[in-house]
Amino acid sequence: MRAIEIQRWSSPDELVVSHVPEPTCGPDEVLIRVRAASVSYSLSLLVAGRYQRKPTLPFVPGNTAAGEVLAVGSAVTRLRPGDRVLASLEQGALAEQAVAHQ
């Protein structure tokens, strides 16, 4: 799957698309086909390693994604495949697919 993967702290103009494994959803999570993701000033600080929190490298940045549910975990009760969603994530939105809690 294509994603922006941060392997070292860098500036936004150095970001490149790479291939990463497709995520899988846990029992209380949904897998989303990302159609849109937000980009902000805080994201540029995060990828440069200058934000107040620093995720472990490598990681896929992005904390907001919109798209459709592809799959649901065994404990998910409120969503089903095909539902359109907007998700707030810790990270992972700058990819073709992302996982979020229901």
Side-chain angles (χ1 to χ4, degrees), residues 39-87:
V39 177
S40 65
Y41 177 69
S42 61
L43 182 68
S44 67
L45 294 175
L46 180 69
V47 302
R50 297 184 314 179
Y51 196 65
Q52 55 258 45
R53 61 180 176 78
K54 291 183 180 177
T56 304
L57 296 171
F59 70 97
V60 175
N63 61 5
T64 306
E68 303 94 33
V69 174
L70 291 174
V72 299
S74 59
V76 173
T77 58
R78 297 183 291 184
L79 297 166
R80 61 184 174 186
D83 285 351
R84 294 170 64 187
V85 294
L86 174 64

Side-chain angles (χ1 to χ4, degrees), residues 2-67:
R2 294 180 309 159
I4 301 292
E5 184 179 44
I6 307 303
Q7 297 187 9
R8 64 177 177 79
W9 306 119
S10 58
S11 66
D13 59 336
E14 296 176 285
L15 299 179
V16 295
V17 175
S18 45
H19 291 277
V20 299
E22 291 184 8
T24 57
C25 55
D28 196 36
E29 297 175 324
V30 297
L31 179 64
I32 301 168
R33 174 183 293 125
V34 177
R35 297 294 189 187
S38 66
V39 177
S40 65
Y41 177 69
S42 61
L43 182 68
S44 67
L45 294 175
L46 180 69
V47 302
R50 297 184 314 179
Y51 196 65
Q52 55 258 45
R53 61 180 176 78
K54 291 183 180 177
T56 304
L57 296 171
F59 70 97
V60 175
N63 61 5
T64 306

